C-alpha cells in the first residue's frame, strides 16, 4: 500500500493495492492540458493493494521510448492512443473516488466519534514499532503527517482518529487539537505497524518473489495472502467478502451458513500418503441458485422466489440508501437452528461469500444476542460492507466533483485570470497544430516529440515575456 501495503480491491472483491499520492500513477506530460490546469484531480488515495505503479497503458506510454533507447535496430516501440491513456486514467480516478470519496480530506473525523467506515493510515514516524499503535484519518494524513512515513490501511470500521492524542508524544493535531487522551473503542492489529497476514510480513514484501493477491477478512479486517487461507480463493468475480480461518474458528456458527451460501473453493488437503488438492465441486441447491442469480440468469421460478425476499435484500448501489442494521428480532423461527440440524461441513479454511449473503443471516432474539457476545453485530448490516462505502464515496464525489481549472481561476484576480486563459488558449492552439501534422502524415507521436514541443513552447514563452513591458495605471 503505497508506503505500507495499500490494500485495494478488484471489483467486486477486495484485492487491489493502491498507493499514496495524487492517483499514485505518474501522469503523462500532456496531463495539464487534459485537466485544464496543473494539479491533482483528487486527493491522494490509499491504494486497496495491487497497483502500486503505472497501469499497462501508461507503462507502455512512459516506457516505450526507454526500451527503444533511440536505437534504429531496437525493438519497435509499443503504440498507445491518447484515448487509451485517458481511459486508464479515468479508471484510476474512479478507484480513488471510491475509497477516498467517503472520507473527508479537509476536516479531521474526530468530531464524528467512531466513524462507521473511513480511510485510515498509521504513521511510522510518530508511532514506530515498539510504541502504542495509532490510526489517523485522511485529513490528518495530509495536514499533520504530510512528510512522514505512513502505512495505508485502506478502510476500517468504527474507528476514531488518534492524531495528536497521548500516543503522539511530540505532535499536536493541527485540525482538531482538543482530543481525548485515548480512544478506548478503537481496535488495533499488526497492520498499524505495516505487517499483514499470518506471516506478519510487509506488503509489498521485498523478500517475497511469489506473485500473490491479498484479501481482507471482513471480521478482523486483517489482510491475507491468497496462499495463506487454507484454500485456493475462487476467482475475484465469484465472491464479494472473505472470512479468514481464525475468525471462522471464533464464529463457528458461520459454518452452518457456509454449506448453503459460501462460494465453493479448491481445498488443500494433506494426507499421510501424499499431498494433493481436492476440488470441492459439490454445490447445494441454494449455492446453485445464488450463482445463477449472480451471473444474470432469470428463470421465472428464481425471479418469483427473489421477489418474496426482495424487501430483505438491501441495495448497495450508489443511488439507494442503505438500510439500518438489524437490532431487534423480527423473526419467530431461528434459521440457524434449522441449518444446524443438517450435516455441517467444517474445515480449517477461510470462507468466501457472495453478495447479499449477510441479509440471509438469522435475526432472531437468540442470534442477535450471540452476535453481540461475539462482537460481530456488524454482520447483519449491509451498510458495513466496503462495497457500500465505496458506492457512497463514488456517488458523493460525482455529485461534488469540481473543475480544477475553475477552482484555480476563482482564486485569482481579474488580471491573473485573463493571463491564464490567454496562456491556456495559446497552449491549446499550438499543441493542436503540432499534433495535426502527425495525424496528416499518419505517424505515431512519441515521447520525445511531446518533450520537444513543450521545450519549444517554453522557449517561445520566455522570449515573449522578455519583450513585454507592463504599465500600471
Amino acid at each position: 500500500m503505497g508506503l505500507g501495503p495499500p490494500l485495494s480491491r478488484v471489483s467486486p472483491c477486495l484485492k487491489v493495492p493502491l498507493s499514496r499520492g495524487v492517483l499514485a500513477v505518474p501522469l503523462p506530460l500532456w496531463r495539464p492540458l487534459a485537466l485544464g490546469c496543473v494539479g491533482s484531480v483528487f486527493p491522494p488515495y490509499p491504494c486497496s493493494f495491487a497497483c502500486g505503479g503505472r497501469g499497462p497503458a501508461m507503462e507502455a506510454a512512459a516506457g516505450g521510448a526507454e526500451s527503444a533507447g533511440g536505437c534504429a535496430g531496437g525493438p519497435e516501440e509499443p503504440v498507445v492512443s491518447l484515448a487509451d491513456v485517458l481511459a486508464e486514467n479515468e479508471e484510476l480516478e474512479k478507484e480513488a473516488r471510491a475509497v477516498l470519496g467517503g472520507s473527508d480530506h479537509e476536516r479531521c473525523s474526530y468530531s464524528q466519534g467512531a466513524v462507521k467506515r473511513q480511510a485510515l493510515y498509521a504513521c511510522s514516524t510518530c508511532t514506530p514499532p515498539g510504541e502504542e499503535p495509532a490510526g489517523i484519518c485522511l485529513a490528518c494524513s495530509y495536514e499533520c503527517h504530510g512528510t512522514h512515513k505512513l502505512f495505508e490501511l485502506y478502510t476500517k470500521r468504527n474507528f476514531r482518529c488518534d492524531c495528536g492524542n497521548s500516543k503522539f508524544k511530540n505532535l499536536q493535531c493541527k485540525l482538531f487539537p482538543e482530543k481525548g487522551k485515548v480512544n478506548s473503542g478503537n481496535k488495533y492489529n499488526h497492520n498499524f505497524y505495516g505487517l499483514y497476514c499470518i506471516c506478519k510480513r510487509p506488503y509489498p514484501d521485498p523478500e517475497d518473489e511469489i506473485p500473490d493477491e491479498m484479501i481482507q477478512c471482513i471480521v478482523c479486517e486483517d489482510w491475507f495472502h491468497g496462499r495463506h487461507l487454507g484454500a485456493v480463493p475462487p476467482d475475484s468475480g465469484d465472491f464479494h467478502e472473505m472470512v479468514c480461518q481464525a475468525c471462522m474458528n471464533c464464529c463457528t456458527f458461520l459454518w452452518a451458513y457456509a454449506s448453503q451460501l459460501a462460494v465453493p473453493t479448491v481445498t488443500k488437503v494433506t494426507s499421510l500418503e501424499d499431498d494433493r488438492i481436492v476440488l470441492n465441486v459439490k454445490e447445494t441447491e441454494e449455492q446453485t441458485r445464488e450463482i445463477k442469480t449472480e451471473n444474470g440468469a432469470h428463470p421465472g421460478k428464481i425471479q418469483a422466489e427473489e421477489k418474496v425476499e426482495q424487501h430483505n435484500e438491501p441495495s448497495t448501489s450508489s443511488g439507494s440508501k442503505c438500510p439500518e442494521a438489524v437490532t431487534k428480532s423480527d423473526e419467530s423461527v431461528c434459521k440457524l437452528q434449522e441449518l444446524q440440524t443438517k450435516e455441517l461441513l467444517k474445515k480449517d479454511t477461510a470462507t468466501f461469500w457472495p453478495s447479499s449473503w449477510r441479509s440471509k443471516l438469522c435475526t432472531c432474539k437468540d442470534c442477535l444476542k450471540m452476535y453481540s457476545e461475539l462482537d460481530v453485530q456488524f454482520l447483519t448490516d449491509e451498510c458495513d460492507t466496503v462495497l457500500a462505502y465505496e458506492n457512497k464515496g463514488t456517488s458523493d464525489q460525482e455529485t461534488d466533483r469540481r473543475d480544477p481549472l475553475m477552482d484555480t481561476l476563482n482564486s485569482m484576480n481579474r488580471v491573473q485570470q485573463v493571463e491564464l486563459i490567454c496562456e491556456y488558449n495559446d497552449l491549446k492552439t499550438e499543441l493542436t497544430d503540432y499534433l495535426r501534422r502527425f495525424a496528416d502524415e499518419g505517424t505515431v507521436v512519441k515521447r520525445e516529440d511531446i518533450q520537444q514541443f513543450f521545450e519549444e513552447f517554453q522557449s517561445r514563452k520566455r522570449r515573449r515575456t522578455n519583450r513585454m513591458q507592463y504599465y500600471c495605471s
Side-chain angles (χ1 to χ4, degrees):
M1 317 175 169
L3 297 173
L7 301 173
S8 63
R9 68 187 284 285
V10 169
S11 180
C13 192
L14 311 176
K15 307 181 179 178
V16 181
L18 313 174
S19 63
R20 187 175 180 76
V22 180
L23 295 181
V25 177
L27 301 178
L29 292 172
W30 44 263
R31 178 61 175 167
L33 180 69
L35 294 179
C37 75
V38 182
S40 59
V41 187
F42 198 77
Y45 170 60
C47 281
S48 136
F49 290 21
C51 23
R54 296 179 282 196
M58 293 188 182
E59 199 65 70
E66 298 167 7
S67 62
C71 232
E76 185 178 347
E77 291 185 1
V79 177
V80 60
S81 71
L82 223 55
D84 291 336
V85 182
L86 285 171
E88 174 87 12
N89 193 62
E90 177 63 23
E91 186 61 31
L92 290 171
E93 288 183 21
K94 285 181 180 178
E95 290 182 359
R97 289 196 296 273
V99 176
L100 296 188
S103 299
D104 194 330
H105 66 280
E106 295 179 341
R107 291 176 289 274
C108 176
S109 64
Y110 182 85
S111 61
Q112 302 174 41
V115 180
K116 191 168 189 175
R117 186 169 291 282
Q118 64 175 317
L120 283 181
Y121 302 82
C123 182
S124 179
T125 304
C126 297
T127 55
E131 301 287 337
E132 287 189 88
I136 59 176
C137 67
L138 178 64
C140 288
S141 76
Y142 300 151
E143 187 65 28
C144 308
H145 304 263
T147 60
H148 296 180
K149 180 181 179 183
L150 301 179
F151 297 123
E152 300 177 44
L153 305 178
Y154 193 48
T155 71
K156 291 191 182 291
R157 69 169 65 89
N158 300 331
F159 198 94
R160 195 173 195 183
C161 180
D162 285 322
C163 180
N165 68 13
S166 62
K167 296 184 176 185
F168 295 79
K169 295 180 174 57
N170 301 310
L171 180 137
Q172 184 180 49
C173 181
K174 299 176 184 178
L175 300 177
F176 201 103
E178 300 82 22
K179 286 187 170 81
K181 289 186 176 181
V182 293
N183 296 311
S184 57
N186 286 355
K187 294 182 179 180
Y188 306 91
N189 59 16
H190 57 195
N191 293 174
F192 290 80
Y193 298 123
L195 303 176
Y196 306 87
C197 191
I198 56 174
C199 60
K200 292 181 170 54
R201 296 293 301 170
Y203 186 94
D205 187 349
E207 298 178 7
D208 184 5
E209 298 180 355
I210 303 175
D212 201 354
E213 62 194 4
M214 299 199 80
I215 310 173
Q216 189 179 37
C217 172
I218 62 165
V219 178
C220 66
E221 297 192 297
D222 193 4
W223 293 83
F224 296 85
H225 294 98
R227 64 185 185 273
H228 292 159
L229 291 171
V232 179
D235 291 338
S236 61
D238 294 339
F239 71 102
H240 282 236
E241 296 186 302
M242 181 273 287
V243 180
C244 72
Q245 293 165 277
C247 291
M248 286 300 297
N249 290 334
C250 292
C251 304
T252 54
F253 72 92
L254 286 176
W255 284 114
Y257 293 97
S259 60
Q260 300 291 318
L261 302 178
V263 178
T265 62
V266 176
T267 306
K268 297 177 182 177
V269 179
T270 303
S271 70
L272 295 177
E273 298 177 358
D274 61 349
D275 292 337
R276 63 188 184 279
I277 292 181
V278 177
L279 178 63
N280 177 7
V281 294
K282 186 176 181 181
E283 297 175 356
T284 64
E285 181 181 347
E286 181 72 15
Q287 286 175 322
T288 303
R289 189 167 69 89
E290 283 288 333
I291 293 171
K292 286 182 179 178
T293 306
E294 287 288 318
N295 291 336
H298 302 289
K301 183 178 179 182
I302 291 178
Q303 280 193 336
E305 291 173 352
E306 291 299 326
K307 285 181 180 178
V308 175
E309 297 183 2
Q310 197 166 19
H311 66 283
N312 287 327
E313 293 285 341
S315 171
T316 53
S317 65
S318 57
S320 60
K321 184 179 179 181
C322 237
E324 295 296 325
V326 178
T327 56
K328 293 183 180 180
S329 171
D330 56 357
E331 296 185 18
S332 56
V333 179
C334 180
K335 295 179 183 177
L336 180 59
Q337 286 184 356
E338 292 181 356
L339 291 173
Q340 287 174 335
T341 60
K342 303 176 182 179
E343 183 178 355
L344 300 184
L345 179 61
K346 293 183 67 174
K347 298 177 290 185
D348 186 24
T349 68
T351 52
F352 304 84
W353 305 83
S355 63
S356 298
W357 71 277
R358 297 188 186 208
S359 64
K360 296 176 174 60
L361 296 178
C362 181
T363 55
C364 73
K365 181 179 178 181
D366 290 338
C367 283
L368 289 179
K369 180 182 178 182
M370 175 185 62
Y371 302 150
S372 180
E373 292 172 348
L374 294 172
D375 198 20
V376 293
Q377 307 95 311
F378 54 82
L379 286 179
T380 62
D381 183 7
E382 286 280 332
C383 290
D384 172 75
T385 65
V386 174
L387 180 60
Y389 168 85
E390 291 187 350
N391 283 338
K392 180 181 183 302
T394 301
S395 176
D396 291 348
Q397 283 295 320
E398 289 297 337
T399 303
D400 247 1
R401 203 168 175 188
R402 299 177 297 185
D403 188 329
L405 176 59
M406 295 308 299
D407 286 348
T408 303
L409 285 173
N410 290 335
S411 67
M412 297 178 171
N413 61 41
R414 181 167 181 76
V415 174
Q416 291 172 323
Q417 289 176 348
V418 172
E419 289 178 348
L420 176 61
I421 291 173
C422 289
E423 288 291 338
Y424 172 77
N425 287 332
D426 287 344
L427 172 61
K428 180 179 178 182
T429 301
E430 292 190 31
L431 183 56
T432 301
D433 293 341
Y434 181 76
L435 294 176
R436 184 176 290 115
R437 298 204 322 260
F438 292 89
D440 293 342
E441 296 170 4
T443 55
V444 174
V445 181
K446 300 177 182 178
R447 181 176 182 173
E448 53 266 33
D449 296 324
I450 297 298
Q451 289 176 328
Q452 179 184 349
F453 168 81
F454 279 102
E455 288 171 0
E456 293 176 354
F457 180 81
Q458 289 293 341
S459 177
R460 289 192 297 272
K461 180 181 176 182
R462 282 193 294 271
R463 289 198 298 270
R464 287 198 304 268
T465 303
N466 292 336
R467 292 197 302 266
M468 291 176 66
Q469 294 183 1
Y470 293 89
Y471 301 91
C472 298
S473 57

